[in-house]
Amino acid sequence: MELRGDLVTAVDTHAFVVGPGHRDERAEREAALFALPVVTIRRFRLIHVRALLTDAELETLARKLCIDPVHGWWEPAEPADRASAGPGETQLETGLRPGVTDREGAELVRAAREAGVNVDAATIGTRWIIGGNLSDTELAVLSDRILHNEVIERWALGHLEPAFVGSGDEAPAVVTIAIRGLDTDGLAALNQVRRLGLDPEEMEVIRDHFTMQGRDPTDAELETLAQTWSEHCAHKTFRAHITVNEADGSTSEVDGLLKSYLRAATDTIDAPWVRSAFVDNAGIVQFDDRFDLALKAETHNHPSALEPFGGANTGVGGVVRDILGVSAKPIAVTDVLCFGPDDTDPSGLPDGVLHPRRIREGVIHGIGDYGNKIGVPTIAGAVVHDPRYTTTPLVFAGCVGLLPTGSNPTAPRPDDSIVVLGGAVGRDGVGGATFSSQTMGIDTADVAGSSVQIGDPIVEKGLIDVVVGARDARLYNAITDCGAGGLSSAVGEMAHELGARVDIAAVPLKYAGLAPWEIWLSEAQERMVMAVPDPEPVLAVARRWGVDAAVIGKFTGDGRLCVVDSVSDRTIIDLDCRFLHDGRPRRRMTAVMRQPRIQRESVNVATGDPVGDLLRLLAHPSIRSNEDVVRTFDHEIMGGTVVRPYGGPEGDGPADGTTQRPPGTSSGRAMTIGVGVNALYGAIDAYAMGWQVVDEAVRNAVLGGADPNQLSLLDNFAWGKPTDPLTLGQIVAACRACHDAALAFNAPFVSGKDSLYNEFVGPDGAADPVAPTLVITAVGLVEDPAVVPLTGAVAAGNDVWLVGQAAGALGGSHYEMIHPNLGAGAGGDLPAPQAGAPATHRAVASLISEGIVVSGHDLSEGGLAVAAAEWAFGGRRGLELVADVLTADPHVLFGEGPARYLLEVAPENAPRLEEVDGTQRLGRVTDGDDVVIGPISVTHGAIGSAFTGHIE
Amino acid sequence: MSAPRVLIPVALGTNRDGDLADAFRLAGAEPVTVPLTDLRAGLGGVGDYQILALPGGFSYGDALGAGRLFGLDLIGWFADRLYEAVDAGKPIIGICNGFQALVRTGILPGDEGPAATATLAENESGRFECRWITLDPSPASVWTAELSDALRCPVAHGEGRFVSADLDAIEGRKGVVLRYGVGGYPHNPNGSVGDVAGITDPTGLILGMMPHPENHIHEWQDPLRGRGGTGNCLPLFRAGVRAA
């Protein structure tokens, strides 16, 4: 992939390398995975600048700004052949492609100018010194698979020539696209060539619209329609009319999944704490008398598969902007990550697919980098591993924000100025929405280069300060974020009722040479749009926080979206807003439902080795500790964290719900976040999955201290191609479960996001769809954070109580998964929805609010024995669970299902527990490190080495 | 006596200024947070202040090294105010990124005049780490003079490994005033030599530290509450406020 602007390679560039470098052990491990004969990999910073510098100026630049004064050094990076630093070593250099966001380069330019050295542009790359005798082919594998990512970086053996985006490029003009008179084939060809991603009926409607207008559209108009009507922006599947072929042979009609199930549940519940649901960038619910919470969870799957760091990075950035888009200050970030197995054989991966470990490392680094830098705690989440995520990893990023009640204005007025805030426009974000609405294949990385971006959390941190400042001073009438579709979708949505007139020449650009439609449609990560009556005060706030801002037009009132270029005096876009937003023909789709539950015969599944089973489950990639991941996220910033993802005396006991007192509030309340996700149920029975993940999210929130009578839910769907009726049938089933479970738990959905077309089309043309995955996030209010149960068992002598059924289901369980020899489906049915579950959750919450639950843990992946083992280990306490009910039956020890908890309660409160339906005493907490769970007896050492991977 | 004013300058990317302001407020001071752009433009009505506090974060994205450009700001267009504060005997504290900036400028350790003799290098683990740690205090700084018990608070950094060619000089004047308790990873989360978590300059007025005492000022923040948790860090801020 080449950028379409001309690259300038000129003599006025300087390259130098900075030490000390360091060994890159991660890269060495990865190289071993690919069986490359690498001995060592060392990395050094490589700095390219475009400037005419004297030797003295170069010395100043390098010494003053680029090296550590105590032990740093620098030297010019001279052009050389591939020969290198020493015998048996090879040098190669990597650097960002011109035009990719480069915060560090931009800061170097700024700092150099302040130091009196005039630098025009700078970029920071890496010089690698590879120890070991590698062939050119092996070096290429090393570089392609491990050291650089072709999507955003370039590389060279030996010396990498500096390259920058040209500054004097002439902008291409707007182009008219002949669409009138095209037949079906002609429309299909146009759709294909421009990668519009539209349905054939949609192409016809666009053709007919312009035929009636008596003119052809401009490229900008056509691209604007494609973005606005994309799956990503318009949620065509969730709004489609669906004919459902039911499993019993009957047919039913669904008038939109969103309307009929998700929003319908919310409308029926009509919860007084919901301020707004499904209307803006995020849902808004009441927190206390003065504040509301804004809730949103997003997916960022396609970009994360191609460029894991940038994809996850911008995934967090995007959901944070959604929260800013309802005038809220972000206070918590969540992440749910689904990867292929770490031990996937690299030689079996199709071309174009990154190894799951590389995706995992990049995604985790990307999330931490963004959350840590914007100063918002990353406090809740989950990591799931399954082979069906190998080619299509999933990244769900969520955000909670805080805003004073009634402080989010949503109505632009005629004559309001349109102000853009934040990052300037480049070509790096062109086509994000249409790209993410299509399936991926081996060539996706080639075409997607311009659709994958690197975030700039420092600009976003500034944006947070500007939005909060402008909000508190009541400086704007409406606000939204520039997500996928860029200004096109942001201004387009805000102008839906009024119309707007924009001067494209007023939009700040990163560099020249962009076509008008690119400026209009490029997704910039860190950018917001406001409708303001008086621009100057907003511009002043932006200047104060170091954020760029510009006035680019006005809202009009004539109902037309009009974009002009004042320089060339040409009209780029002149569209009727009604056609743009309401002209899309409604999609009609067909869904086929499978049997609601696959009746599977249960066989004798006991192995006779429950200790071995427990240890294998504790080491399962979806159960084992993710503490090493969580430690790379700042979960303490803002000082409000009450319950962390890992707690207990050694900080390695997994918590359930995570709880936070929102900074700046004084009611003493807290909020808690619970997450539910399951990789296994969806393909078997999506309806059962829906219930189970809602229940899991609710259980976690209850243990985080939530009042189950005031929960709010977020949904995230990640599925394959909905045009496959069976796939759509799964989605329908999951939506029905969401609806039914929401009503049962009296917990409304307030926002959600669907990500479809998650499948990888391999070189043989066969599609590899993702494991159907529903993620539910439950956010609850905590009246009194002081009574929230602790993480891990606490005090010897306390009783251990089980709330809920002793036996769970083994169908689709992790136990079934670690015993493939038992045969597919050996575990029998999936857990069924339980009518009594809401009452169980309320009973546990009531015990917690009375302050008598010392600690607790919910029963989820791996069932009772896994929960008890994690809980004992996390608290460094022994357990003596010897009740008769704890037999060797795997359904009891390892079965999974809804509404089950372990609680630690002082012996004097036993009568209170006995009053509650479905409770039984299993035993007690002990000192020492022996953990006895019925027939199982293990030590903390054995649990710890299985669960954490560290030998104690 | 009116509450001492605490000047908290923030750069683009600073993000723990709010936490730091909360701690000083609770300790009885009046924090004033001012963007460096305001100070640079002569705006912001800084007025008189008795304490200077440099907060944590990722100033300028930690481009070119953590705290480096923040430090250049301090030296470049804030130097007068900084040295004025030192000369006037005002307590100064730099936490995390603020500590990194003080070290980059040579203000800390401060034995040899304004040239950097120490650095905060990348964590030994090679990654950002967030975890609670224990700190053993010693009294050679106004901030730690009266602390007798260990403190507990979180760290959250990727570049916190203290390296100095001159550790003996600092140790000789008892300048290491905060040490990671227990020692060894993960208790010493970054591999700092001598378990150094925080140091003072020879006057005892300037404290720089990597951990975040501003995030343990309430009992409910403590992950060991209910298990005999201790080590609230508010006394550190109170000591600084008393010394102002």
Side-chain angles (χ1 to χ4, degrees), chain B residues 91-181:
Chain B
I92 298 178
I93 186 169
I95 298 175
C96 200
N97 201 233
F99 180 30
Q100 290 164 335
L102 289 173
V103 167
R104 302 271 181 223
T105 57
I107 293 167
L108 282 176
D111 296 272
E112 297 286 332
T117 61
T119 195
L120 290 155
E122 193 178 5
N123 292 353
E124 216 160 60
S125 65
R127 45 174 201 263
F128 182 97
E129 296 225 13
C130 177
R131 61 172 75 248
W132 280 63
I133 46 81
T134 302
L135 293 171
D136 291 333
S138 71
S141 147
V142 297
W143 298 89
T144 56
E146 289 159 45
L147 298 177
S148 49
D149 299 330
L151 303 177
R152 290 177 48 257
C153 65
V155 292
H157 60 250
E159 295 178 45
R161 179 164 54 92
F162 186 78
V163 178
S164 170
D166 231 3
L167 185 61
D168 288 349
I170 306 171
E171 295 276 17
R173 61 173 170 82
K174 312 270 187 220
V176 178
V177 291
L178 291 166
R179 248 181 251 275
Y180 296 112

Side-chain angles (χ1 to χ4, degrees), chain A residues 135 194 414 518 581 616 680 683 812 815:
Chain A
S135 68
R194 290 203 72 97
E518 292 179 313
H581 292 285
R616 285 179 68 189
L680 307 169
Y815 182 85

Side-chain angles (χ1 to χ4, degrees), chain B residues 73-99:
Chain B
D73 279 353
L74 295 181
I75 293 301
W77 20 278
F78 196 53
D80 294 351
R81 209 177 286 277
L82 195 68
Y83 289 115
E84 192 183 279
V86 175
D87 291 344
K90 294 176 179 175
I92 298 178
I93 186 169
I95 298 175
C96 200
N97 201 233
F99 180 30

Side-chain angles (χ1 to χ4, degrees), chain A residues 425-706:
Chain A
V425 176
R427 192 172 277 140
D428 46 345
V430 172
T434 45
F435 157 63
S436 64
S437 303
Q438 296 169 18
T439 56
M440 306 212 307
I442 44 168
D443 65 340
T444 304
D446 296 333
V447 298
S450 60
S451 297
V452 178
Q453 305 172 70
I454 302 297
D456 191 341
I458 301 306
V459 171
E460 188 122 317
K461 168 67 174 76
L463 270 181
I464 294 172
D465 294 325
V466 173
V467 170
V468 170
R471 175 197 74 193
D472 291 346
R474 302 199 171 268
L475 298 181
Y476 56 86
N477 288 330
I479 180 171
T480 195
D481 76 307
C482 269
L487 291 170
S488 163
S489 63
V491 177
E493 278 169 32
M494 286 174 102
H496 188 166
E497 308 290 335
L498 290 176
R501 187 177 174 84
V502 171
D503 179 7
I504 204 84
V507 177
L509 301 182
K510 282 184 187 166
Y511 38 80
L514 275 66
W517 74 268
E518 292 179 313
I519 299 171
W520 182 241
L521 284 133
S522 176
E523 171 179 12
Q525 282 304 318
E526 288 72 27
R527 200 188 306 153
M528 304 292 296
V529 177
M530 286 178 180
V532 301
D534 175 12
E536 188 40 43
V538 171
L539 300 180
V541 174
R543 274 195 300 274
R544 183 162 195 249
W545 294 106
V547 171
D548 292 332
V551 180
I552 62 164
K554 274 184 180 297
F555 291 97
T556 53
D558 64 6
R560 293 198 76 81
L561 180 63
C562 187
V563 181
V564 299
D565 177 0
S566 64
V567 174
S568 67
D569 199 23
R570 284 200 59 175
T571 297
I572 313 295
I573 293 173
D574 186 5
L575 285 172
D576 181 344
C577 289
R578 277 171 309 180
F579 177 67
L580 178 60
H581 292 285
D582 308 324
R584 185 175 61 82
R586 192 167 179 203
R587 207 181 243 185
R588 296 192 72 93
M589 306 180 79
T590 304
V592 171
M593 309 302 288
R594 290 177 191 274
Q595 284 297 324
R597 221 174 302 288
I598 300 170
Q599 297 295 338
R600 304 196 300 176
E601 196 65 29
S602 183
V603 296
N604 179 12
V605 289
T607 61
D609 180 19
V611 171
D613 290 335
L614 171 62
L615 297 179
R616 285 179 68 189
L617 283 167
L618 285 168
H620 186 278
S622 296
I623 294 176
R624 57 166 294 160
S625 171
N626 284 307
E627 192 202 338
D628 56 341
V629 175
V630 167
R631 295 277 165 231
T632 68
F633 303 150
D634 190 341
H635 39 81
E636 300 289 345
I637 193 162
M638 291 187 162
T641 308
V642 179
V643 180
R644 297 142 179 89
Y646 285 83
E650 302 297 330
D652 54 8
D656 298 303
T658 47
T659 306
Q660 182 191 29
R661 282 173 61 149
T665 61
S666 53
S667 57
R669 279 189 172 183
M671 65 110 179
T672 185
I673 302 174
V675 170
V677 58
N678 186 297
L680 307 169
Y681 294 160
I684 304 169
D685 182 348
Y687 185 81
M689 170 171 69
W691 271 92
Q692 297 312 318
V693 296
V694 171
D695 194 273
E696 184 184 8
V698 170
R699 290 196 303 272
N700 285 329
V702 164
L703 282 175

Side-chain angles (χ1 to χ4, degrees), chain A residues 860-932:
Chain A
S860 54
E861 295 87 354
L864 190 153
V866 165
E870 288 178 353
W871 187 44
F873 171 76
R876 293 299 190 279
R877 289 285 177 255
L879 288 180
E880 202 176 86
L881 307 185
V882 292
D884 292 345
V885 68
L886 297 174
T887 64
D889 179 357
H891 292 86
V892 173
L893 294 176
F894 307 115
E896 302 177 16
R900 301 163 78 208
Y901 299 85
L902 289 175
L903 303 180
E904 174 185 352
V905 176
E908 63 265 29
N909 293 313
R912 177 68 185 90
L913 268 288
E914 280 159 6
E915 289 170 11
V916 179
D917 279 348
T919 58
Q920 50 191 317
R921 207 181 75 93
L922 296 183
R924 60 191 188 95
V925 179
T926 61
D927 278 325
D929 73 346
D930 289 323
V931 178
V932 175

Side-chain angles (χ1 to χ4, degrees), chain A residues 91-296:
Chain A
Q91 171 180 316
L92 61 85
E93 294 184 342
T94 57
L96 289 175
R97 287 180 179 278
V100 172
T101 298
D102 184 357
R103 176 88 228 157
E104 209 170 9
E107 290 295 348
L108 179 54
V109 171
R110 186 190 64 84
R113 286 177 184 161
E114 280 173 14
V117 179
N118 203 5
V119 170
D120 177 48
T123 179
I124 291 162
T126 306
R127 171 183 285 181
W128 306 86
I129 302 293
I130 314 301
N133 287 308
L134 278 73
S135 68
D136 281 8
T137 314
E138 287 169 334
L139 284 166
V141 170
L142 178 70
S143 186
D144 286 348
R145 295 293 186 128
I146 298 166
L147 301 186
H148 92 287
N149 188 333
E150 193 64 19
V151 176
I152 55 163
E153 291 167 308
R154 31 188 213 114
W155 76 288
L157 270 176
H159 178 71
L160 184 73
E161 281 296 325
F164 298 91
V165 174
S167 53
D169 297 348
E170 195 157 319
V174 64
V175 175
T176 301
I177 310 283
I179 194 172
R180 290 177 295 168
L182 288 183
D183 60 10
T184 309
D185 291 345
L187 289 173
L190 177 61
N191 197 10
Q192 175 77 21
V193 167
R194 290 203 72 97
R195 290 188 168 268
L196 299 174
L198 292 167
D199 291 350
E201 303 77 36
E202 292 165 344
M203 290 298 291
E204 284 171 17
V205 166
I206 291 171
R207 176 195 60 197
D208 297 348
H209 175 78
F210 284 98
T211 305
M212 286 200 5
Q213 304 281 308
R215 67 176 177 96
D216 280 316
T218 64
D219 51 0
E221 288 174 326
L222 196 55
E223 296 283 350
T224 297
L225 286 162
Q227 292 271 347
T228 309
W229 294 6
S230 68
E231 182 71 56
H232 186 93
C233 296
H235 305 283
K236 292 191 266 206
T237 300
F238 271 64
R239 293 193 166 117
H241 182 102
I242 300 175
T243 300
V244 181
N245 298 323
E246 303 287 355
D248 64 5
S250 66
T251 303
S252 60
E253 303 295 327
V254 176
D255 183 18
L257 292 170
L258 185 59
K259 182 175 156 196
S260 303
Y261 298 121
L262 300 165
R263 190 176 288 162
T266 302
D267 289 347
T268 306
I269 294 167
D270 194 20
W273 64 89
V274 175
R275 305 277 193 206
S276 82
F278 296 112
V279 289
D280 295 312
N281 288 310
I284 301 180
V285 301
Q286 182 179 10
F287 176 69
D288 61 17
D289 292 342
R290 293 180 53 211
F291 290 98
D292 292 343
L293 296 174
L295 317 178
K296 180 67 182 250

